[in-house]
Amino acid sequence: MEGKLIVISGFSGVGKGTVIHRLMEENEGFAFSISCTTRYRREGEVDGRDYFFLSQEAFEDGIERGRFLEYARYSGNYYGTPAQYVFNQMKKGIHIVLDIEYQGAFQVKEKYPDAVMLFLIPPSARVLVERLVNRGTETREQIRSRLAQALTEADQAEQYDGILVNDRLEQTLKEILRVVEDPKCAAEFRKQNAGLVQEIKKDLNGILKTW
Ligand code: 5GP
């Protein structure tokens, strides 16, 4: 049987990276799709492990050659999923996990309606801000841009199959596995958490006013 496509989106700083890392580590039969990007490499990131870091020219060449399953611009940079790797893994029956933003997520859903689309949110706006500040990889101005972006992304959350609160890692992992097993239960998680998305939006608006 073909592997499934699992799309995981969520605000910058919500902890997608950690969740996905643990999902791979603890479960066989999953593979992470390493994206291409034109953004600068953060300290600690490794080319070919976290991303394939490309120049703008190389990325645009990839677009022309149809090498991306999806791609989008985000915070002034290109991000895209190399198609070949995804197809190869799925053919082998391996579930493939994409950590991508919403424009790319919707492109994937259009091509693959069976893709499982999950949106991760933090337990509160305050926790999100703390995580971004503590990560220490962005300037204050870059954090502002990420928070403003989070507001736009929050409007898209309800179009995902499921919305999951990434508060306790173990719980988040359990919920992801449940949805992969039975995609229909994603809607339950969406309904449960849609209210929290609105609350976070309101709080983010307030935080940005005085940032
Ligand atoms: P970051 O710069 O923080 O690593 O990622 C910024 C955003 O780009 C995140 O929301 C992440 O999910 C998204 N992203 C990473 N890779 C891809 C990709 O291949 N395609 C798309 N559309 N978004 C991506």
Side-chain angles (χ1 to χ4, degrees), residues 119-174:
F119 195 92
L120 295 192
I121 59 170
S124 69
R126 190 178 49 79
V127 167
L128 183 72
V129 174
E130 276 170 13
R131 285 184 191 162
L132 274 173
V133 170
N134 292 340
R135 185 159 83 179
T137 49
E138 275 90 15
T139 63
R140 212 175 150 75
E141 208 33 56
Q142 281 167 333
I143 292 177
R144 159 188 274 286
S145 152
R146 297 264 162 156
L147 292 178
Q149 184 78 31
L151 270 178
T152 313
E153 288 168 352
D155 287 332
Q156 315 297 328
E158 284 183 58
Q159 293 192 56
Y160 279 68
D161 298 319
I163 301 172
L164 304 182
V165 183
N166 185 30
D167 189 4
R168 287 179 303 125
L169 187 55
E170 295 306 326
Q171 184 66 22
T172 311
L173 291 171
K174 255 194 227 156

Side-chain angles (χ1 to χ4, degrees), residues 1-2 16 39 56-57 94 110 113-114 120 133 144-145 157 168 180 183 185 187 192:
M1 215 169 68
E2 272 218 331
K16 278 169 297 179
R39 93 146 151 68
Q56 177 142 333
E57 296 70 38
I94 292 171
E110 213 170 287
D114 286 343
L120 295 192
V133 170
R144 159 188 274 286
S145 152
R168 287 179 303 125
V180 173
C185 77
Q192 249 173 43

Side-chain angles (χ1 to χ4, degrees), residues 82-102:
Q84 198 59 48
Y85 177 77
V86 172
F87 296 147
N88 290 346
Q89 297 299 313
M90 284 171 69
K91 263 191 238 144
K92 287 191 219 159
I94 292 171
H95 301 318
I96 191 101
V97 179
L98 307 183
D99 168 353
I100 62 178
E101 52 66 71
Y102 68 88

Side-chain angles (χ1 to χ4, degrees), residues 13-30:
V14 77
K16 278 169 297 179
T18 310
V19 168
I20 291 171
H21 184 76
R22 282 285 293 276
L23 186 67
M24 304 288 120
E25 211 172 59
E26 293 176 9
N27 299 279
E28 280 187 14
F30 287 84

Side-chain angles (χ1 to χ4, degrees), residues 40-72:
Y40 67 94
R41 192 167 59 77
R42 291 186 193 133
E43 210 179 304
E45 282 182 332
V46 176
D47 188 33
R49 183 192 71 187
D50 300 293
Y51 280 107
F52 296 107
F53 294 96
L54 300 185
S55 66
Q56 177 142 333
E57 296 70 38
F59 198 104
E60 285 172 350
D61 185 58
I63 296 173
E64 265 176 41
R65 291 170 193 263
R67 295 229 165 107
F68 296 114
L69 175 65
E70 60 71 36
Y71 72 91

